[in-house]
Amino acid sequence: MKNILITGADGFIGSHLTEKLVSEGKNITSLVYYNSFNHWGWLENVNCKNDINVILGDIRDYDFCKKITKNQDVVINLAALIAIPYSYQAVSSYVETNINGTLNLCQAARENSVSQLITISTSEVYGSANYVPIDESHPTKPQSPYSASKIAADAIAMSFFNSFDLPLTIARPFNTYGPRQSARAIIPTIITQILSGNEELKLGDINPKRDFTYVEDTCEGIALLIGEKKTFGEIINIGSNNEYSIQDIINLIKEIMAKDIKIIRDNQRVRPQKSEVMRLKCDNTKLIELTGFSPSIDIKEGLKRTINWLSIDENLAKYKTNIYNV
Ligand SMILES: NC(=O)c1ccc[n+]([C@@H]2O[C@H](COP(=O)([O-])OP(=O)(O)OC[C@H]3O[C@@H](n4cnc5c(N)ncnc54)[C@H](O)[C@@H]3O)[C@@H](O)[C@H]2O)c1
């Protein structure tokens, strides 16, 4: 399990996972979403830049997927369109990327006899919790086109395990946060607005509750699945088994940053009522039992690290703090 292809390696979680697996001595090929600037996204900022094989391309292209999965032991698919608000506007591109992209990688992994394909799902597939903590038997409910595309992607992938014995593991992270997360996510949105000196914090609904997991713990959870045959054909939650409302997170950030700031409800950020997922809390028992996973960064420490990273001018400059990032 030495040669590993990570798709979406240019993104938030993918760049951290790349760094982690390089530090563990793996041979990493990192797929960056094709762009004419030859920009490597967050991989531009990693220390292991010279120790990875970077390729640019697109998971929507089957022939390309077939080519890049050749001679790989493990393929980890993090490439996706992930913003919920943008999924209201561009449903077809979510279908193309998240569903067809996953199908392409399943077919390519099968053709090339890859030893393990790990696809990355999301807790959003569960919709507002019927019960907490949410275990893997909880029903799924597509409350957004993003969630629907991930439910379908998971189903396609699982059908390849059931029909063709594809060595497949589906990892299902809950909300992940930390350095390099885009401003469309709630924690960077709050911190960057405060850091840029705004008098008011513009937000959508602050009542939803989430299980927040620091990015290093999410990556640890994914890394522990590599080479674990007992995870084949399984869906496995990755999360901390905690629960905080957005209001709780605002209070913690205000306390750490020693800033008081007024919250303004910005209607363009409020999701349609039936679409907003009100509660997600992870039951991570399966991951713990299968791998011995133990999240190590609590919310206060994780928020401090995220605030410290965003407080560096060079990092904050990458965020457009005064506009709403869909
Ligand atoms: N961030 C979270 O809280 C969270 C929680 C649960 C699950 N996930 C899942 O984790 C994965 C990574 O999420 P992230 O937060 O790092 O998001 P991200 O947007 O930072 O990373 C996704 C990457 O995929 C790339 N990409 C998009 N379309 C592509 C295509 N057609 N071909 C190749 N690359 C393409 C993008 O360039 C982007 O860098 C996604 O599958 C997401 O659904 C994220």
Side-chain angles (χ1 to χ4, degrees):
M1 299 297 192
K2 184 105 175 122
N3 298 319
I4 301 180
L5 168 70
I6 302 176
T7 68
D10 49 345
F12 163 50
I13 301 176
S15 62
H16 286 279
L17 186 65
T18 299
E19 284 176 301
K20 178 179 176 58
L21 296 182
V22 168
S23 75
E24 291 176 5
K26 307 288 191 196
N27 297 331
I28 300 298
T29 300
S30 303
L31 174 65
V32 165
Y33 196 11
Y34 176 81
N35 64 89
S36 59
F37 307 102
N38 193 22
H39 196 279
W40 293 2
W42 287 115
L43 290 180
E44 294 287 352
N45 299 72
V46 300
N47 290 331
C48 61
K49 207 170 160 178
N50 297 324
D51 305 320
I52 53 180
N53 172 30
V54 175
I55 39 178
L56 272 69
D58 195 320
I59 61 162
R60 289 173 297 181
D61 187 307
Y62 172 69
D63 292 328
F64 174 76
C65 289
K66 192 164 172 200
K67 201 159 77 184
I68 60 171
T69 49
K70 211 168 180 203
N71 300 322
Q72 297 293 344
D73 300 318
V74 182
V75 174
I76 308 176
N77 180 30
L78 290 123
L81 293 179
I82 86 150
I84 293 166
Y86 185 53
S87 82
Y88 301 138
Q89 299 178 16
V91 182
S92 302
S93 55
Y94 280 66
V95 168
E96 286 300 320
T97 306
N98 298 352
I99 306 176
N100 288 346
T102 300
L103 170 62
N104 289 338
L105 287 166
C106 288
Q107 267 171 334
R110 181 175 176 226
E111 283 289 320
N112 286 321
S113 305
V114 163
S115 301
Q116 186 181 19
L117 171 65
I118 302 178
T119 58
I120 308 296
S121 177
T122 170
S123 56
E124 284 291 323
V125 301
Y126 293 122
S128 297
N130 291 351
Y131 57 84
V132 291
I134 298 174
D135 59 19
E136 292 81 355
S137 306
H138 188 286
T140 57
K141 186 176 175 196
Q143 288 182 227
S144 63
Y146 167 62
S147 165
S149 70
K150 295 296 259 189
I151 291 170
D154 293 350
I156 286 286
M158 197 55 92
S159 78
F160 270 66
F161 169 77
N162 288 325
S163 307
F164 311 120
D165 272 329
L166 182 74
L168 167 83
T169 306
I170 299 181
R172 186 168 284 166
F174 281 58
N175 286 64
T176 298
Y177 71 100
R180 303 183 195 142
Q181 186 167 29
S182 82
R184 64 197 171 203
I186 188 67
I187 289 176
T189 302
I190 298 168
I191 300 171
T192 57
Q193 285 190 53
I194 297 178
L195 282 173
S196 60
N198 291 6
E199 298 294 318
E200 294 167 340
L201 202 47
K202 289 186 189 154
L203 298 174
D205 191 349
I206 58 172
N207 295 307
K209 292 180 176 169
R210 290 289 184 274
D211 187 315
F212 288 101
T213 303
Y214 191 66
V215 63
E216 284 178 15
D217 284 327
T218 298
C219 289
E220 172 71 5
I222 297 171
L224 286 168
L225 300 173
I226 296 172
E228 284 296 343
K229 289 198 172 135
K230 50 187 190 274
T231 70
F232 291 178
E234 298 289 338
I235 295 175
I236 301 158
N237 285 343
I238 301 178
S240 305
N241 190 233
N242 67 33
E243 192 178 25
Y244 296 95
S245 69
I246 307 306
Q247 177 71 73
D248 296 334
I249 295 292
I250 297 168
N251 292 343
L252 283 168
I253 292 174
K254 286 204 300 196
E255 186 189 311
I256 297 167
M257 296 178 80
K259 274 259 169 28
D260 202 14
I261 188 163
K262 200 172 149 196
I263 300 164
I264 298 284
R265 187 180 165 98
D266 180 0
N267 283 334
Q268 63 172 336
R269 298 173 196 244
V270 178
R271 294 176 186 171
Q273 205 192 345
K274 291 197 296 293
S275 182
E276 180 65 84
V277 172
M278 293 310 294
R279 194 175 186 195
L280 294 171
K281 182 183 182 186
C282 177
D283 185 335
N284 55 10
T285 310
K286 190 170 177 181
L287 179 64
I288 292 170
E289 283 177 2
L290 285 170
T291 69
F293 173 75
S294 166
S296 61
I297 313 285
D298 71 16
I299 189 77
K300 272 198 171 177
E301 174 60 21
L303 288 174
K304 273 186 205 156
R305 291 188 190 192
T306 310
I307 292 165
N308 288 344
W309 183 84
L310 281 164
S311 301
I312 297 167
D313 288 344
E314 191 191 335
N315 296 333
L316 187 62
K318 295 190 172 80
Y319 289 76
K320 298 181 177 73
T321 50
N322 288 317
I323 57 170
Y324 170 44
N325 285 255
V326 175

